[in-house]
Amino acid sequence: MALDPDRLFPAETNTRQIARDLYETVCDLPIISPHGHTDPRWFAENQKFEDPAQLFVVPDHYVLRMLVSQGVSLEALGVAGQNDEWFETDGRKIWRLFAEHYHLFRATPSKMWIDHSFEFVFGLQDAFSPETADNFYDQISEALNTDAFRPRQLFDRFGISALSTTESALDSLQWHQQIQTSDWEGRVITAYRPDNVIDPEFENFAKNLEIFGEITGEDISSWEGYLAAHRRRRALFIEHGATSSDHGHPTARTENLSQAEAAQLYEKALMQTCSAEEADKFRGHMLTEMARMSLDDGLVMQIHPGSFRNHSGSIMRQFGRDKGFDIPTPTNFVRDLHPLLNAFGMRADLNIIIFTLDETTLARELAPLAGVYPALKLGPPWWFYDSPNGMMRFRELTTETAGFYNTVGFNDDTRAFCSIPSRHDMARRVDCAYLATLVRAGQLSQSEAYELAQDLSYNFAKKAYKL
Amino acid sequence: MALDPDRLFPAETNTRQIARDLYETVCDLPIISPHGHTDPRWFAENQKFEDPAQLFVVPDHYVLRMLVSQGVSLEALGVAGQNDEWFETDGRKIWRLFAEHYHLFRATPSKMWIDHSFEFVFGLQDAFSPETADNFYDQISEALNTDAFRPRQLFDRFGISALSTTESALDSLQWHQQIQTSDWEGRVITAYRPDNVIDPEFENFAKNLEIFGEITGEDISSWEGYLAAHRRRRALFIEHGATSSDHGHPTARTENLSQAEAAQLYEKALMQTCSAEEADKFRGHMLTEMARMSLDDGLVMQIHPGSFRNHSGSIMRQFGRDKGFDIPTPTNFVRDLHPLLNAFGMRADLNIIIFTLDETTLARELAPLAGVYPALKLGPPWWFYDSPNGMMRFRELTTETAGFYNTVGFNDDTRAFCSIPSRHDMARRVDCAYLATLVRAGQLSQSEAYELAQDLSYNFAKKAYKL
Amino acid sequence: MALDPDRLFPAETNTRQIARDLYETVCDLPIISPHGHTDPRWFAENQKFEDPAQLFVVPDHYVLRMLVSQGVSLEALGVAGQNDEWFETDGRKIWRLFAEHYHLFRATPSKMWIDHSFEFVFGLQDAFSPETADNFYDQISEALNTDAFRPRQLFDRFGISALSTTESALDSLQWHQQIQTSDWEGRVITAYRPDNVIDPEFENFAKNLEIFGEITGEDISSWEGYLAAHRRRRALFIEHGATSSDHGHPTARTENLSQAEAAQLYEKALMQTCSAEEADKFRGHMLTEMARMSLDDGLVMQIHPGSFRNHSGSIMRQFGRDKGFDIPTPTNFVRDLHPLLNAFGMRADLNIIIFTLDETTLARELAPLAGVYPALKLGPPWWFYDSPNGMMRFRELTTETAGFYNTVGFNDDTRAFCSIPSRHDMARRVDCAYLATLVRAGQLSQSEAYELAQDLSYNFAKKAYKL
């Protein structure tokens, strides 16, 4: 099945034509991918990708979770456990299992991304099914064996003008170093993600802090030294192209403590004597410290709150993080962001980009907040909402209060490299569909719509992330 | 007014045609009604229904509540109070009062159900109004007096292939016994609803437990005896066709206590010394016990949480339960289902079907949970959301994350027998409208849509409820 | 750009034609504006409006907040601070700044209201932009200088049949007095808003109570005297045309305390020793007292809960209230309204109109509550939801459970006089679009739709507010 060229456009004929015309003007714009989780090593070493299963199935938590929900085991999908249990290592077997269950993905964004990759990256136009699985496996394997399908070549072919990965505060940045010093001109940059040295409840927090001190040469036994260590790392990340930091906390809580109180809390964190409440408070205060540093060093600040991580204890014990068992929770931004916004919300020279996993906050809290505080902008629909309906609801729920200009374009946020063009294509289609609907309803002129299509597809991300 | 043959189909012409074509293939499929509240006595005795008011008005809490909201009294609608106050007993007077207020139901599902029953069950095509009320009353009365309108005959005419009623744990199951031993071949089965012996806050809880012990011959003074009594009753229900249990708790809270702790809590429940918190905890733990029993006896487990029952104290005192004063409340499934899912969520041989009265949880919590835990499936939109918009929102909010295959088809959940065909017709129409929208937007192929139309209308319910 | 005559109508051609036909029958109906915040002094003195910036920019918190969100300062927009800081006083400069940022409002209701005012009130059909700003300024200034653009003349030209302003319990009502005794026949009435003498956390609460006692001649040192003072003021407001009271509390909490307990709490309020919890409880109880008084004096009771007022401390300190920094919060109506509804919810002679800033409560709580309690009706979408999508979601989320007849028509709630026709026009268009959608889907007959279009545009507001 070849993809429908009108996919995701409005049903009504006149509106569809407007959407089609708008899309024509943006479909070939360069891709800005300002936030994601691809592996910088790919671009540093430019090795060939392993096999179709390793590319499409094993690392994709969207794919894993859907198959698990219907009783397929993670082991059978090639996911290694923490101990020495068996897991499938035959790529073709994993691939066939995937094909047998591919109907589960009907009408999900995963299917649209994967079908798009099959067709546009690998030229495969048949419907993927148990019948075609082997043929797909062979053809993709063959392609991956050619130089044209190495990471840098795909990056160039995808038309990516800038791509940010995300590294922990303790990362050596060696792959980014290697990319920078190579003769390849692709722009791959890093982003500063310090959760593992900010969250007292992170695995190995004390050990992480120790390393944090060692690699920065700062005395992390004091609050001042700890802050200095952050400043040093941020500076190093900036040297490796970073324009943003990223913060993935369980809640959106922020705090603005006195330095004395913060220092006391840090001491508790260091001694690992924080209660759950104190750990949350410390994380909250550190967002305000990060904002303060951003005012100095210019890093754009991203906050990704509200996921109940590792909901299944048995899966966490056996397979670890990021296996599809993170579930969104209700979030209260009005209360939780209050300390941070009271401290720095009126600063027009600060860029805080907020994401949510709780759509009920879009119209009620986030659009009203971003629609008045100069420092706050709305990140695009994230994770479970990075989907046609999720994107449409995002626009419908935020535009009337925050407008378009307090949003920041699209992030693909992906670990799946081949899905990048399809994800941006989806976002551009849905935005054009939304703009077309407004034009058809007399709420926007044609010329405004054309200008906004460019903004939403390219300009806003470039500006918001300083790229 | 004859019903519009295109009702509930999408507005746009191309999409409408796709929906119409899909609907053609499912409109005459047999009805599976795997969860509802019709009275098994009807099918056991096969007596004629009393009169139009008793059939359409008096027992229907949707109808009662709308008329009450505009100042009509329950007494005038034929509802008897707990004491000896007057209430209307003249069916024709109740019927006229209903007709006078029928405009209140414009654009509600109740009106669609009732109009459909008028036309398809009784052949009445005029608009129901004060002018036509007497004629409707006469014609329906006349029909009800004929053998063709007895319960079993309607059941067969409606094309019902299986129907489950719901009985309390203390029910004698005499009507189901009578149905089973009759020569009628209609499949009417029961479901195990043990709220009145699980909820320490239920009216007459202690007395109920006493009876529970008597009818099972178990010693309910001990925790082990209490569990054994449940097992016995479940076995008896299964003998009467039950394939599911049903649990209607104020919250979705689950607990997984140690047996020692559970036994202590049960003792408090038995002595009626539970605090509100302890009662909630006990109910929560019993869901985990019920799941454990399901792993043994195979009953599908339904959870219907989150209703603030009997919101008006004065109505409760005068008229009792189920008079339209139950109101949905916010629910937190991520936290509340955690103990149960941690215990048994990864078991693919367990079927937990979860319903919600809080739509904000569909995309945020329930689709992500059902989209990863093998034991959990999403029940259809329930109660206030058993409506065209409610069903459409359900699909829009869940499909992108949980797909179609973690849902279980439609439940009519009704007390109003004549509404069964209209309710299933509504669900089939809305699902076809949704599928058509996906086809038109290039998100689903025609052949996938035809297959899914069958699944959503028939196959999923049959499979999920083991019918 | 002239406004699109089909704006806000459905995209699909058949549905659009139905909407257009419905709209034709209601677009010229008189305007009932039963709740808003225009200044009665305008109509009392009938002075010319100052300049375009003072009319369109400075007092409009929707406009201010959007410009502030993009880094424009309130001072530059002509807003005076609490101290003697500079602020812009040149209307033309403010106007140009507004024009430079007008693109921010694309697809917002503010832009639709303002464009409509430009075209229908001032005859300006060009697109408003930096290029046309001066011309707009000149033409509007010129118009404002003519008698035809004085408040009373505009009121008559707008076709307003009744307009309610809102005054504090301490207001002298002098302007209403002056309107009543003038020879002008426009119906401008007041509404009783006693927050400043009910909320122990209101600025100058103690001083306010003192004045409350003085102007009523009641002994407000006692609970009985305090209640008597309310009764006196309500009577005076009724003499000045009031048919409603209005209550803007931080939460929807109600209480129904014994008189002894209420008296004790009042004493604490009077002594300013209430905790935050006690203040909330007192406000909650006073809603029940207000309802009790309404049963005597017939005032319709409006409740506007759930705004976190003055979210930015620095803006509050420098510029005071109502500068765009009020943010919606989650609200729980099922629990919070329980005491009030248990006391008086079954009284069909009481009219409580409830508004929400939390749309998640519409289907879950408010429609079920208004769909059963005779005393409760749903106010129209409010504030951030007074918008095309907000209005459409309101109907989609409430109609299936509460029907149309438990809603009360439209409120413009505006401080911006010239926006009144555009706001009512928007509401009528969206309601016709919704009705047309129902007709197209076979859920409503044409004749029902025509009747409802009149009801939603005119009859419901007239009846609910006793106008």
Side-chain angles (χ1 to χ4, degrees), chain B residues 299-354:
Chain B
L299 285 185
V300 173
M301 185 172 175
Q302 300 170 92
I303 306 179
H304 285 93
S307 181
F308 185 131
R309 301 269 171 185
N310 314 308
H311 195 267
S312 165
S314 65
I315 295 292
M316 178 62 180
R317 282 187 298 277
Q318 194 180 348
F319 298 100
R321 290 173 165 257
D322 298 327
K323 295 299 172 291
F325 284 82
D326 302 333
I327 314 286
T329 56
T331 306
N332 184 322
F333 290 100
V334 179
R335 177 193 64 207
D336 286 356
L337 296 183
H338 192 231
L340 174 59
L341 292 174
N342 250 311
F344 303 122
M346 296 306 297
R347 294 290 295 262
D349 54 344
L350 180 63
N351 259 17
I352 304 171
I353 300 176
I354 187 88

Side-chain angles (χ1 to χ4, degrees), chain C residues 247-311:
Chain C
H247 308 275
H249 292 190
T251 72
R253 178 171 179 179
T254 64
E255 290 288 347
N256 186 14
L257 308 175
S258 70
Q259 289 298 304
E261 204 180 340
Q264 280 182 350
L265 202 51
Y266 175 66
E267 190 164 322
K268 279 194 159 179
L270 200 59
M271 308 298 288
Q272 305 198 61
T273 59
C274 277
S275 66
E277 157 62 17
E278 289 168 331
D280 204 44
K281 196 174 184 178
F282 182 72
R283 288 188 297 259
H285 178 71
M286 283 306 297
L287 289 178
T288 303
E289 292 295 342
M290 290 289 112
R292 199 191 318 274
M293 291 184 196
S294 280
L295 282 164
D296 287 336
D297 64 22
L299 284 186
V300 173
M301 186 174 174
Q302 300 170 93
I303 306 178
H304 284 93
S307 181
F308 185 132
R309 301 272 172 182
N310 315 306
H311 195 267

Side-chain angles (χ1 to χ4, degrees), chain C residues 287-434:
Chain C
L287 289 178
T288 303
E289 292 295 342
M290 290 289 112
R292 199 191 318 274
M293 291 184 196
S294 280
L295 282 164
D296 287 336
D297 64 22
L299 284 186
V300 173
M301 186 174 174
Q302 300 170 93
I303 306 178
H304 284 93
S307 181
F308 185 132
R309 301 272 172 182
N310 315 306
H311 195 267
S312 166
S314 65
I315 294 292
M316 178 60 180
R317 281 188 299 277
Q318 194 179 346
F319 298 100
R321 291 173 166 256
D322 297 327
K323 296 299 172 290
F325 283 82
D326 302 334
I327 314 287
T329 56
T331 306
N332 183 323
F333 290 100
V334 178
R335 177 194 65 208
D336 287 357
L337 295 183
H338 192 230
L340 174 58
L341 291 174
N342 249 311
F344 302 123
M346 295 306 296
R347 294 289 296 260
D349 53 344
L350 179 64
N351 258 18
I352 303 172
I353 300 176
I354 188 89
F355 296 79
T356 189
L357 290 172
D358 180 356
E359 287 180 309
T360 69
T361 62
L362 287 174
R364 187 180 62 214
E365 306 178 18
L366 290 180
L369 288 169
V372 72
Y373 280 108
L376 195 69
K377 297 281 173 286
L378 301 182
W382 171 40
W383 202 336
F384 298 106
Y385 311 113
D386 180 3
S387 64
N389 283 336
M391 289 174 188
M392 192 53 86
R393 286 196 297 267
F394 175 83
R395 292 285 174 213
E396 290 172 350
L397 290 165
T398 64
T399 307
E400 294 181 325
T401 292
F404 290 105
Y405 295 84
N406 289 306
T407 65
V408 302
F410 181 64
N411 291 182
D412 56 68
D413 197 27
T414 195
R415 295 161 201 275
F417 184 45
C418 287
S419 76
I420 288 179
S422 65
R423 288 172 188 243
H424 286 263
D425 184 67
M426 183 183 282
R428 290 172 184 187
R429 285 176 178 273
V430 176
D431 279 335
C432 289
Y434 179 64

Side-chain angles (χ1 to χ4, degrees), chain A residues 1-4 7-8 102-108 111-112 115, chain B residues 18 22 399 403-405 431-453 456:
Chain A
M1 175 198 59
L3 294 174
D4 185 338
R7 63 193 180 281
L8 302 179
Y102 197 57
H103 63 283
L104 299 178
F105 295 94
R106 286 172 182 173
T108 68
K111 183 167 190 300
M112 293 202 87
D115 283 349
Chain B
I18 303 168
L22 289 167
T399 307
F404 289 105
Y405 295 84
D431 278 334
C432 288
Y434 179 64
L435 293 170
T437 303
L438 293 172
V439 171
R440 173 77 177 152
Q443 295 179 269
L444 204 63
S445 72
Q446 291 263 2
S447 64
E448 289 172 325
Y450 278 96
E451 192 181 318
L452 281 163
L456 301 180

Side-chain angles (χ1 to χ4, degrees), chain A residues 134-147:
Chain A
D134 274 342
N135 183 40
F136 270 59
Y137 193 84
D138 294 336
Q139 294 211 37
I140 295 171
S141 298
E142 197 178 317
L144 292 181
N145 244 325
T146 65
D147 285 344

Side-chain angles (χ1 to χ4, degrees), chain A residues 162-341:
Chain A
L163 178 144
S164 176
T165 64
T166 307
E167 272 70 49
S168 107
L170 303 179
D171 194 276
S172 71
L173 300 183
Q174 66 166 121
W175 307 118
H176 283 279
Q177 184 69 32
Q178 194 169 327
I179 295 166
Q180 281 187 313
T181 57
S182 80
D183 57 359
W184 180 55
E185 302 207 331
R187 186 172 181 195
V188 175
I189 61 179
T190 184
Y192 184 62
R193 173 94 171 215
D195 298 354
N196 59 355
V197 291
I198 277 184
D199 178 0
E201 296 176 326
F202 212 94
E203 298 101 273
N204 308 315
F205 180 66
K207 180 69 187 163
N208 290 345
L209 282 186
E210 202 181 301
I211 300 169
F212 197 43
E214 286 166 17
I215 61 178
T216 56
E218 298 289 347
D219 173 16
I220 59 90
S221 73
S222 81
W223 169 241
E224 292 76 16
Y226 172 69
L227 293 180
H230 276 290
R231 278 189 219 101
R232 272 193 197 280
R233 291 304 287 174
R234 292 171 65 105
L236 188 73
F237 273 66
I238 290 170
E239 280 175 35
H240 289 79
T243 67
S244 68
S245 69
D246 182 28
H247 308 276
H249 292 190
T251 72
R253 177 172 179 178
T254 64
E255 289 289 346
N256 186 15
L257 308 175
S258 70
Q259 289 298 304
E261 204 179 341
Q264 279 181 352
L265 203 52
Y266 176 65
E267 190 165 321
K268 278 194 159 176
L270 200 58
M271 311 297 287
Q272 305 197 64
T273 59
C274 277
S275 66
E277 157 64 16
E278 288 168 331
D280 203 43
K281 196 174 184 179
F282 182 71
R283 288 188 297 260
H285 178 71
M286 283 308 296
L287 290 178
T288 303
E289 292 295 342
M290 290 290 112
R292 200 190 317 275
M293 291 185 196
S294 279
L295 282 164
D296 286 336
D297 64 20
L299 285 185
V300 173
M301 186 173 174
Q302 300 170 93
I303 306 178
H304 285 93
S307 181
F308 185 131
R309 302 269 172 186
N310 314 308
H311 195 267
S312 165
S314 65
I315 294 292
M316 178 62 180
R317 281 188 299 276
Q318 194 180 347
F319 298 99
R321 290 173 166 257
D322 298 327
K323 295 299 172 290
F325 284 82
D326 302 333
I327 314 286
T329 56
T331 305
N332 184 324
F333 290 100
V334 178
R335 177 193 64 208
D336 286 357
L337 295 183
H338 192 230
L340 174 58
L341 292 174

